[in-house]
Amino acid sequence: MTRKDTLTNVRKILVKVGSAVLTGEDGLDLNIIEQLVDDITTLRERDYQIVLVSSGAIASGKHRLGIPGKLKSIPQKQAAAAVGQGRLMRVYSNAFGKHGLFVGQVLLTMSDITDRKRFLNIRNTLFTLLEWGVITIINENDTVAVDEIKFGDNDHLAAMVANLIEAHLVINLTSTEGLYDQNPAESKKAKLIPLVTEITPEIEASATDEGTPVGMGGMKSKVLAAKKVTAFGIPYIIAPGRRQGVLQEIMDGKETGTLFLPMSEHLNSRKYWIAFTLRARGRLFLDEGATAALIADGKSLLPSGVTQVEGDFVSGDPVSCVDPAGNPIAKGLVNYSAEEIRKIMGLKTGKIEQVLGYKDYDEVIHRDNLAVMIQPDGKSKT
Ligand code: GLU
């Protein structure tokens, strides 16, 4: 499949741009931002819909306040973001305004999207902004996000937003050309990888962890994000953000940056949300039969396939399903609490009522609420 084929039906693009692209010695690099805005505007004229995930709040705030060196504490970073986020939006607003376009700001934390109702609400808002032709600019709500509710870095945030807006393509604009087979800062022999058909352990190993002095996520977090996004059936491109017209180049089918092809067996939106947004509250150990039924046949999980229950959770909670060796294979929302499953595990469905005195469901986890992370060929989606 050529790049052109992969990109033919793309209309809705999520562009993520990192702090290392947007900021220079003098804080926000206005020329680069104008250049990016021109590029986005041209794509819009070509009938593409664009949503932007932009970093740069902390770096910009730090520069505005004239704080030398690194920001040490989390409150300092959060305070810098409070100053920088406003500045960032003003710069974007001015730049898009020159093209007659409005911008809208959406700041998110993880807890905003782990709640299904709020997730759907935000989704409706984002769809409305798209319908109105507003350029939505999304960032983590850095000033209020503490560890437990943090996306961590904007690569991860963008992977979650890809689901919120049901993007057709994610383009991650970075300060490098793309993914190299080894760290280009360390080896002159490093070669750019133009196409990744599958994220193998070797591909993961070629991505080093280091972020830039201003950005949070290094190449590793970009590859992890690519893994999630491609598991949702969306192609992912890591591309050089400072190159003029880079977005148009990509949509013209030029071999720019690294393209990660989508997985053929992918998760739907709700299952993607279960898999990557929710934190498991416990673990269910499955026997061989149930493991195979989930992976190969897409079956629901019945009490008979559960051998052990770990954790304390209630009905509706997300739990991880693991094979007999403890390898995670799926995540799903349980119909019964940990206490109830301990009583009915190993039993035939017909026995549930006899043991519990009631039977609200046949399944421990219904297949519609079960995101299987292993493809039938044994490859992992995470
Ligand atoms: N949200 C952060 C900011 O706007 C950036 C996070 C990241 O670099 O991934 O400064």
Side-chain angles (χ1 to χ4, degrees):
M1 205 192 230
T2 64
R3 271 197 182 225
K4 267 208 163 123
D5 293 333
T6 308
L7 303 180
T8 304
N9 292 321
V10 169
R11 298 276 31 116
K12 202 188 302 176
I13 308 171
L14 177 65
V15 176
K16 184 256 162 182
V17 58
S19 304
V21 173
L22 296 173
T23 53
E25 296 266 291
D26 302 319
L28 286 180
D29 185 333
L30 301 186
N31 291 329
I32 287 289
I33 294 181
E34 295 254 342
Q35 186 180 290
L36 173 68
V37 166
D38 286 350
D39 207 9
I40 291 176
T41 308
T42 310
L43 281 196
R44 275 184 45 107
E45 282 158 7
R46 289 170 57 179
D47 268 349
Y48 289 104
Q49 293 182 307
I50 314 274
V51 171
L52 193 58
V53 168
S54 178
S55 306
I58 298 174
S60 159
K62 175 183 161 315
H63 182 267
R64 279 306 260 187
L65 295 164
I67 301 169
K70 270 195 147 197
L71 293 172
K72 287 179 204 88
S73 65
I74 290 179
Q76 281 185 351
K77 286 185 189 161
Q78 295 185 302
V83 176
Q85 182 62 30
R87 160 92 178 137
L88 186 65
M89 285 308 292
R90 186 149 56 85
V91 170
Y92 275 124
S93 176
N94 287 344
F96 278 110
K98 286 186 194 156
H99 299 274
L101 293 169
F102 291 109
V103 296
Q105 170 185 265
V106 175
L107 299 178
L108 296 173
T109 61
M110 199 68 183
S111 58
D112 295 322
I113 60 166
T114 46
D115 182 289
R116 187 73 187 157
K117 249 200 203 145
R118 286 169 76 187
F119 175 93
L120 294 172
N121 243 329
I122 296 164
R123 180 195 201 110
N124 289 340
T125 307
L126 293 174
F127 280 156
T128 305
L129 286 163
L130 274 171
E131 211 179 285
W132 286 348
V134 172
I135 303 281
T136 304
I137 301 172
I138 301 174
N139 197 357
E140 175 141 22
N141 196 354
D142 292 310
T143 48
V144 302
V146 289
D147 257 359
E148 309 80 73
I149 58 163
K150 247 184 186 314
F151 289 100
D153 59 66
N154 277 8
D155 297 317
H156 183 220
L157 168 65
M160 299 300 109
V161 173
N163 182 13
L164 270 172
I165 64 161
E166 302 221 349
H168 304 152
L169 170 69
V170 173
I171 302 177
N172 192 333
L173 295 177
T174 69
S175 54
T176 70
E177 291 292 307
L179 177 68
Y180 286 83
D181 57 355
Q182 43 187 313
N183 189 344
E186 281 164 15
S187 168
K188 280 208 180 105
K189 282 197 227 137
K191 276 204 210 78
L192 184 73
I193 306 171
L195 180 71
V196 175
T197 48
E198 185 194 327
I199 302 175
T200 58
E202 294 77 56
I203 291 286
E204 284 189 51
S206 59
T208 54
D209 212 352
E210 280 146 64
T212 59
V214 285
M216 303 269 195
M219 202 36 93
K220 190 148 221 146
S221 82
K222 290 171 182 49
V223 172
L224 282 180
K227 215 166 174 186
K228 295 189 179 110
V229 170
T230 55
F232 187 31
I234 304 178
Y236 191 89
I237 295 178
I238 298 176
R242 291 185 155 252
R243 178 156 348 143
Q244 192 164 16
V246 63
L247 297 175
Q248 290 172 71
E249 238 180 61
I250 291 170
M251 296 322 293
D252 286 340
K254 297 225 174 78
E255 214 173 72
T256 305
T258 303
L259 165 66
F260 297 76
L261 290 183
M263 291 184 194
S264 46
E265 286 281 330
H266 49 79
L267 301 166
N268 67 24
S269 170
R270 190 177 143 75
K271 291 192 180 183
Y272 185 87
W273 173 78
I274 292 172
F276 297 121
T277 317
L278 302 183
R279 211 175 279 175
R281 311 244 165 184
R283 292 205 296 174
L284 297 179
F285 281 77
L286 313 191
D287 64 15
E288 296 285 357
T291 302
L294 257 57
I295 295 174
D297 309 324
K299 290 267 166 58
S300 295
L301 177 65
L302 301 175
S304 57
V306 181
T307 58
Q308 196 187 322
V309 181
E310 250 180 37
D312 189 19
F313 48 84
V314 297
S315 160
D317 273 348
V319 302
S320 173
C321 299
V322 302
D323 68 11
N327 303 307
I329 56 163
K331 201 190 279 177
L333 307 179
V334 281
N335 284 333
Y336 292 99
S337 69
E339 208 184 323
E340 289 167 325
I341 301 173
R342 283 193 183 100
K343 289 185 190 149
I344 58 173
M345 67 188 186
L347 301 180
K348 290 248 174 304
T349 301
K351 287 260 159 88
I352 298 178
E353 188 156 9
Q354 204 178 317
V355 174
L356 296 181
Y358 51 84
K359 185 183 77 168
D360 293 338
Y361 303 91
D362 285 347
E363 316 84 12
V364 169
I365 303 176
H366 190 273
R367 53 194 285 178
D368 291 348
N369 292 325
L370 190 63
V372 180
M373 321 296 281
I374 310 283
Q375 306 193 83
D377 60 9
K379 286 175 191 146
S380 169
K381 288 180 189 158
T382 55

